[in-house]
Amino acid sequence: NAFRTVSNTDVHRALSMDRLHTNNAGKFGHHLWPELQKILERMGRSKMAKVEENLCLMPRWCGLNHFEEALSVSYTDGQKFEDLSKVIVFACHDVLTHEECKDGYILLRCLQAYIEFDLYTAFEVHTTHTLTAGQEALSTLNMLIQTYAEKMQQGSEKNWNFPKNHLSMHVFDNIEAKGVTRNFNTKPNEKMHGPLKESYQLQTNFKDVADQILRIDHYQLVAEHIRCKIEDHDTYYNSMTGVVDDEEHDTMEDYFHVRLGSAQKPLTFQGVEQNNANDKAFEQFRIKLNLFLNSYFQTVRGSLPQGHPIQFKGDDTVIEYRYVKVNFESKVDWCQYMDYLCCSPSFHGWACHDCAIFRTQQHDIFRQIVFLFTCSIDKEKFPLALVHPYDAGLAGQRLSKDSHRGFWRVRKQSRASTEIFSVHSIIRGALLYPDNARPGEYLVIDTIDTDMFLCVQEMHKSTGHY
């Protein structure tokens, strides 16, 4: 080995766990996922169809691949495996039950433990506490895999003692020695394959391609450099002359950490009520808005505008918006990130009303954004949202499968119980998956990113689940 000739080098200590190939495309993509496919095939086509239906019904989320026929598709992309691992437990929870398939139930617990372990390895910043929690998640995963292997040892040739499984044992030591896993992850390099592939397929003659691809890459970098210079010049010129991009100014509204977008034409209250006459969420819309704003002025500003209660008329107008960008501070690395939340009756052919975590005086709760709008009082705009609360009480004790899989379950209130909230109350977006086995109840998908994972972990601890 050539590395042995390098002085002061320990090859074994220099090796690091590559999360992309060890976890996403390795432990999950080549081991846990095929095991799940085998169990579902053994259960029959109806169960497989149910899982694919659940995946298809999974709400869409920015940056997360949406799957429709995952069981019948062979993936080679590690990113696809990573995204699939984040949602597969939710898609299978009502199929692989303890009563119908004990083996599948244990495997689903393995998958839940795996995704928790993988999320801890994905943290952008680690503390002593998160390293300890990650080690505990790894121990839980190893214990569950051992239980599953012992149960399946008869009639199965699966060997769980493979090198990439052993690499996981050292990941948190690697993090302490070399920093977080993105320092030694091959994912950034893998993302370069796409542009290089396009250059090869579209701009070469398939002969002596190395020089051609390098030349194309050089041209692209030069073009990008020129574009950056032009944009910098435009930004500087506009700042000096006070020019504002009319198109962006007309469709976007900035309010501290939120930004409303896709503004529609002004619409009267009467028009809003007529357009949504069959939707109970809009019952007493004006009354709810009047009560909210009157309470706001009395509580926050100390007096009503011009000393009179707010009473909107039918011909007063509001401006509807179809999406909102929310900046939030991550609990993991305290950096700012952005969620794109949609509130549209037709987004790529689908009605899309995303959910979010709203801050209240008592506690943070989940709500669905039904209608996003601004209204004006004395020429001052107020960014508001009509929201559907998901804070109804859950009946009975916590389900055992929720405990085993770390689910955070919420229940929506009646459609007519909508409320008015300021968009300033939005903390961040949330992805909720409907539990078809229990109508009206939803599971919070805490695996969409590391911040949401920590948010839900804190909720569990505050209620005594952990």
Side-chain angles (χ1 to χ4, degrees):
N1 191 317
F3 287 105
R4 295 183 184 276
T5 64
V6 181
S7 60
N8 303 317
T9 299
D10 186 331
V11 176
H12 299 287
R13 294 182 65 184
L15 286 173
S16 301
M17 191 201 86
D18 172 26
R19 179 170 163 260
L20 175 65
H21 293 96
T22 302
N23 277 4
N24 307 144
K27 187 175 293 188
F28 176 79
H30 289 163
H31 298 278
L32 290 169
W33 174 240
E35 283 293 301
L36 180 63
Q37 288 177 304
K38 290 178 185 177
I39 288 178
L40 290 172
E41 287 175 3
R42 199 165 64 235
M43 294 182 71
R45 295 180 63 181
S46 62
K47 298 298 182 182
M48 295 178 67
K50 175 62 176 173
V51 171
E52 293 207 327
E53 180 185 352
N54 289 347
L55 285 170
C56 189
L57 293 174
M58 190 72 61
R60 286 165 170 78
W61 187 256
C62 181
L64 187 70
N65 282 296
H66 189 265
F67 301 92
E68 296 183 0
E69 298 179 345
L71 294 175
S72 56
V73 176
S74 178
Y75 296 109
T76 58
D77 183 1
Q79 184 63 54
K80 290 285 198 306
F81 281 128
E82 180 180 0
D83 290 348
L84 184 59
S85 69
K86 292 180 177 181
V87 298
I88 192 61
V89 174
F90 297 91
C92 293
H93 81 97
D94 58 348
V95 176
L96 298 178
T97 61
H98 188 268
E99 294 76 19
E100 289 195 51
C101 182
K102 293 183 179 180
D103 298 341
Y105 189 83
I106 297 175
L107 180 60
L108 218 54
R109 291 188 65 184
C110 292
L111 284 163
Q112 179 62 34
Y114 159 78
I115 189 59
E116 286 191 14
F117 161 68
D118 184 56
L119 283 167
Y120 276 116
T121 63
F123 274 22
E124 296 83 2
V125 170
H126 268 287
T127 63
T128 304
H129 171 74
T130 57
L131 286 172
T132 302
Q135 290 281 13
E136 292 174 356
L138 176 59
S139 299
T140 301
L141 172 61
N142 290 334
M143 180 189 68
L144 288 170
I145 286 180
Q146 184 177 356
T147 302
Y148 176 76
E150 291 173 354
K151 188 171 181 59
M152 299 293 291
Q153 62 183 355
Q154 293 183 351
S156 175
E157 299 179 356
K158 177 64 180 175
N159 182 8
W160 290 94
N161 187 23
F162 51 91
K164 288 182 179 178
N165 194 31
H166 177 74
L167 276 176
S168 302
M169 305 298 295
H170 303 284
V171 62
F172 295 105
D173 294 331
N174 290 339
I175 290 172
E176 286 193 80
K178 308 163 191 173
V180 294
T181 56
R182 68 178 178 184
N183 293 339
F184 39 87
N185 194 346
T186 59
K187 183 182 287 189
N189 183 62
E190 294 279 342
K191 286 185 177 293
M192 294 176 61
H193 292 180
L196 294 177
K197 179 182 177 182
E198 290 181 359
S199 298
Y200 170 76
Q201 291 180 327
L202 303 177
Q203 295 179 274
T204 71
N205 60 2
F206 309 110
K207 299 176 182 178
D208 300 323
V209 296
D211 290 339
Q212 296 181 64
I213 290 176
L214 286 173
R215 185 168 59 253
I216 293 166
D217 189 49
H218 175 70
Y219 291 160
Q220 290 174 341
L221 287 174
V222 171
E224 184 177 353
H225 177 72
I226 294 172
R227 168 53 59 188
C228 288
K229 291 291 185 181
I230 294 173
E231 291 178 351
D232 289 344
H233 173 269
D234 290 344
T235 301
Y236 174 77
Y237 178 80
N238 291 339
S239 66
M240 296 298 292
T241 59
V243 175
V244 179
D245 188 328
D246 291 335
E247 182 178 353
E248 182 176 359
H249 180 70
D250 290 342
T251 59
M252 301 292 293
E253 289 285 353
D254 280 310
Y255 298 98
F256 189 48
H257 77 294
V258 295
R259 192 179 192 190
L260 304 180
S262 187
Q264 306 299 299
K265 294 180 179 179
L267 188 64
T268 64
F269 281 99
Q270 188 175 4
V272 172
E273 292 163 355
Q274 289 177 350
N275 293 343
N276 301 279
N278 297 324
D279 190 348
K280 291 186 177 181
F282 286 84
E283 287 183 358
Q284 299 183 329
F285 174 58
R286 255 186 294 169
I287 295 175
K288 293 175 181 178
L289 179 57
N290 291 335
L291 290 173
F292 173 82
L293 289 173
N294 285 324
S295 175
Y296 166 78
F297 273 97
Q298 290 175 327
T299 305
V300 178
R301 303 201 178 180
S303 63
L304 295 169
Q306 300 179 1
H308 300 289
I310 297 169
Q311 291 288 340
F312 285 109
K313 299 178 181 178
D315 56 355
D316 290 330
T317 61
V318 297
I319 298 177
E320 179 189 0
Y321 293 83
R322 294 291 173 85
Y323 78 88
V324 57
K325 296 179 182 179
V326 182
N327 294 318
F328 65 94
E329 182 185 273
S330 171
K331 294 179 179 291
V332 178
D333 61 358
W334 310 285
C335 292
Q336 182 174 280
Y337 293 87
M338 180 180 290
D339 275 339
Y340 293 79
L341 305 182
C342 184
C343 179
S344 173
S346 180
F347 182 72
H348 295 290
W350 298 81
C352 184
H353 294 273
D354 286 331
C355 297
I357 303 176
F358 282 76
R359 178 174 286 111
T360 67
Q361 292 181 345
Q362 291 77 26
H363 52 83
D364 302 337
I365 62 173
F366 294 91
R367 287 178 165 87
Q368 184 186 43
I369 303 174
V370 178
F371 187 63
L372 202 60
F373 66 100
T374 59
C375 63
S376 298
I377 300 174
D378 293 339
K379 297 183 179 180
E380 181 182 357
K381 282 188 177 181
F382 289 84
L384 304 168
L386 180 69
V387 299
H388 187 184
Y390 282 54
D391 60 349
L394 296 170
Q397 295 182 342
R398 191 178 186 219
L399 301 177
S400 59
K401 71 174 182 179
D402 289 1
S403 300
H404 290 159
R405 295 167 190 170
F407 287 163
W408 183 266
R409 185 181 294 271
V410 295
R411 184 178 182 84
K412 67 179 180 181
Q413 295 194 26
S414 64
R415 186 70 174 171
S417 63
T418 51
E419 303 169 332
I420 301 292
F421 264 79
S422 169
V423 297
H424 295 298
S425 301
I426 300 177
I427 299 175
R428 61 153 299 159
L431 186 61
L432 272 60
Y433 175 71
D435 186 352
N436 298 322
R438 299 172 69 90
E441 296 185 5
Y442 292 76
L443 302 174
V444 178
I445 302 180
D446 60 339
T447 54
I448 52 176
D449 56 50
T450 53
D451 175 74
M452 178 57 78
F453 176 69
L454 277 191
C455 285
V456 175
Q457 291 288 309
E458 291 180 0
M459 292 178 185
H460 282 301
K461 291 176 182 177
S462 66
T463 53
H465 291 167
Y466 295 158

